[in-house]
Amino acid sequence: MKDKITALYCRLSNDDDLQGESNSITNQKAMLLDYAKKNGFHNTEFYVDDGWSGTNFDRPDFQSMVRDMENRKIGTVITKDLSRLGRDYLITGQYIEMIFPDHDVRYIAINDNVDTQKSENDMMVFRNVFNDFYARDTSKKIKAVFKAKGMSGKPLSPIAPYGYKKSEHDKDQWVIDEETAPVVKKIFRLCIEGYGPMKIANILTDEKILRPTAYNELRSTGQITCEKPYRWNCKSVVGILERQEYLGKIVNFKTRQKSYKCHKTLTNPVEDRMIFENAHEPIISQQDFDVVQEIRKNRRRKQKTNQINPFSGIVYCADCGKLMYICRHSKEGKSTEHFKCGSYSYDSKVCSAHYIRTVVL
C-alpha cells in the first residue's frame, strides 16, 4: 500500500492545554513522523484539528480525512493515542471497529499500543470508555466554573454587546463604547418613530455603518475580512432592540447545550435566567425600552401612503379596552388622521363613536 496515504492525525482541544506541552500539535507531529519513518510508512500526510473537542466529530481536517478514506486514498491512520481520534467511546469504537475496516484502513494508536492489523486490542474498549469519562468529567468541571461565574453577576458572554466594550482595568466589566453607543440609541429612536426592523437595517446600510460582526472583527484584529461589512439585516436589529443589557443589566444563562456530546444550543426559558441590575452604565432608558417592547408586540403594516404610523397597534379604547384602528383621508391630509374605536366599527351598540387624532397623540 505504498501508493496510498499514511494519514498522521493530530488533535488539540482547549482542555488539553492543561496537560502541558506533551499534547501540543508540534509534539504530536514529531512523534507521528518519527514513528512513520522508523516503521516504514511512506507517503505521509498530516491532518490537524487545533482547538477542537474530542466529542465533536465534525472537525474540518477529520472530515477531510474521512472523505479521502472513502475515496480509497488512505491506507493507514496513525494517532498519538486513542483520545486524539475522539473521546466519544461509541463513535470512536464505530470508526475503529467498523468504518476503518470497511475501507481497508489500518489504524494505529502509538501510546495505547493499538494496531488493528494485530489482535492484541482487548483493552482498547476500556481505554475508549475512560477517554469518554474524561470528557464527561471535564464538561462537569467547566459547567461548574461557568455556573459559579454566572451566579456571581459576571457576564458569561466572551464579547461585549454592540454598544459596549470591555474595560481596560476589568475584563468582566463593560463600559460604553462611544463609537457604537449612538448607533444603538438611533436604532431605538427609529423604532419608536415607527420604523420596522427591516427599514432600520436599510437605513443603517445606506449610511454605511459597520454591522456588529464587522465592527468586532475590526476592533479585535485591526482588519475586516467578512463580506458586505455595511450590510445590516433584520435579525441584527431585532437582537439589539430586545437586549436588556442596554438597560445596565447582566443577563446570564440565556442558552444551554443538551449535553457535552450534543453541542446544539437551546434557549433557556426566562425563569431560568439570572438578571443582575445596575451592572454597568445604561445606554437606553427604561421608558424607551418599554415603549419599544410594546411596539414590537404588534405587527404594523404600511398605509397606502407608504408610511407607518408610530402609534399603530398600541392605541386602545379607554371605555371598552379594544384596539383602535387608524383612519386617514388621502385628500384631506395628515391633519385629519385619527384612530377610532374598533368595537364601535364592528357593533355600534358595544361602544360609542369616539376617536382621537394622531396630532393630539
Side-chain angles (χ1 to χ4, degrees):
M1 297 192 297
K2 290 183 179 181
D3 58 322
K4 288 194 173 184
I5 296 173
T6 298
L8 308 180
Y9 181 73
C10 310
R11 181 189 65 79
L12 185 71
S13 69
N14 296 330
D15 300 332
D16 295 318
D17 292 338
L18 302 175
Q19 299 180 7
E21 184 65 19
S22 62
N23 276 329
S24 69
I25 294 297
T26 304
N27 180 276
Q28 290 182 56
K29 282 185 173 182
M31 174 183 288
L32 296 178
L33 193 60
D34 181 66
Y35 181 89
K37 288 180 178 179
K38 289 181 178 179
N39 291 274
F41 291 99
H42 304 282
N43 195 18
T44 58
E45 185 171 331
F46 283 106
Y47 295 84
V48 180
D49 285 314
D50 196 353
W52 288 84
S53 169
T55 59
N56 186 351
F57 284 82
D58 291 328
R59 308 166 224 147
D61 262 29
F62 182 83
Q63 289 301 319
S64 177
M65 183 177 70
V66 170
R67 286 191 295 269
D68 287 344
M69 179 184 66
E70 291 172 345
N71 292 326
R72 303 290 176 175
K73 294 181 180 179
I74 294 177
T76 306
V77 173
I78 306 177
T79 62
K80 175 176 176 281
D81 51 46
L82 287 168
S83 67
R84 297 307 96 199
L85 187 67
R87 289 191 181 276
D88 186 321
Y89 75 97
L90 292 175
I91 301 179
T92 303
Q94 186 180 27
Y95 270 101
I96 297 173
E97 301 284 354
M98 299 175 64
I99 299 177
F100 287 161
D102 188 48
H103 292 85
D104 299 321
V105 173
R106 177 184 180 183
Y107 173 68
I108 298 173
I110 301 173
N111 287 352
D112 290 329
N113 295 318
V114 171
D115 188 342
T116 55
Q117 201 175 66
K118 301 176 182 179
S119 59
E120 301 86 16
N121 298 317
D122 298 336
M123 293 299 295
M124 181 180 64
V125 176
F126 298 101
R127 288 195 178 98
N128 282 332
V129 172
F130 287 136
N131 289 332
D132 189 299
F133 177 78
Y134 175 84
R136 187 193 303 266
D137 186 56
T138 302
S139 175
K140 287 182 179 179
K141 291 177 180 177
I142 292 174
K143 282 184 177 180
V145 171
F146 267 84
K147 185 176 181 180
K149 183 179 179 180
M151 296 291 288
S152 68
K154 295 180 179 179
L156 294 178
S157 174
I159 303 175
Y162 184 78
Y164 289 101
K165 61 182 179 180
K166 291 187 176 182
S167 171
E168 297 179 357
H169 307 290
D170 185 359
K171 296 301 181 182
D172 290 327
Q173 184 66 36
W174 296 340
V175 295
I176 290 180
D177 186 348
E178 300 298 337
E179 190 172 349
T180 55
V183 181
V184 175
K185 293 180 180 178
K186 180 173 185 153
I187 292 173
F188 275 83
R189 186 182 72 251
L190 288 172
C191 182
I192 292 173
E193 291 175 359
Y195 293 94
M198 183 55 70
K199 182 64 176 177
I200 296 174
N202 291 337
I203 292 173
L204 298 175
T205 300
D206 293 340
E207 295 181 0
K208 291 191 176 298
I209 296 174
L210 284 174
R211 58 190 176 96
T213 303
Y215 179 77
N216 287 332
E217 187 179 26
L218 178 64
R219 188 169 60 180
S220 59
T221 65
Q223 58 183 352
I224 301 174
T225 59
C226 62
E227 297 181 358
K228 299 180 179 179
Y230 301 105
R231 183 57 181 165
W232 284 72
N233 57 48
C234 183
K235 185 177 180 181
S236 297
V237 174
V238 171
I240 289 175
L241 291 173
E242 293 179 350
R243 293 203 73 159
Q244 297 185 60
E245 283 84 349
Y246 296 121
L247 296 172
K249 301 179 181 180
I250 290 293
V251 184
N252 287 334
F253 308 115
K254 290 182 180 179
T255 60
R256 71 181 191 280
Q257 291 184 339
K258 280 190 173 181
S259 71
Y260 71 101
K261 292 183 180 181
C262 180
H263 300 283
K264 182 179 179 181
T265 300
L266 302 175
T267 302
N268 278 331
V270 178
E271 57 269 19
D272 290 342
R273 303 177 187 181
M274 292 292 296
I275 300 177
F276 300 89
E277 306 279 350
N278 303 317
H280 46 264
E281 186 178 352
I283 295 177
I284 304 299
S285 68
Q286 184 69 56
Q287 181 180 356
D288 286 349
F289 187 85
D290 291 341
V291 169
V292 166
Q293 304 319 305
E294 188 65 29
I295 291 173
R296 295 280 304 139
K297 288 179 184 178
N298 303 280
R299 294 183 61 186
R300 297 173 295 165
R301 54 197 177 109
K302 291 182 178 180
Q303 302 165 254
K304 293 180 179 179
T305 57
N306 202 32
Q307 295 179 349
I308 298 177
N309 189 292
F311 299 104
S312 178
I314 60 172
V315 180
Y316 296 86
C317 176
D319 294 334
C320 66
K322 297 296 182 181
L323 189 68
M324 299 184 75
Y325 295 97
I326 189 170
C327 299
R328 184 177 185 182
H329 300 286
S330 57
K331 294 182 180 179
E332 298 181 11
K334 192 173 182 180
S335 61
T336 60
E337 184 178 272
H338 61 277
F339 288 84
K340 67 177 181 179
C341 178
S343 295
Y344 178 79
S345 299
Y346 179 74
D347 187 351
S348 59
K349 296 181 180 179
V350 176
C351 198
S352 58
H354 50 267
Y355 69 93
I356 184 168
R357 289 184 295 165
T358 299
V359 293
V360 177
L361 286 173

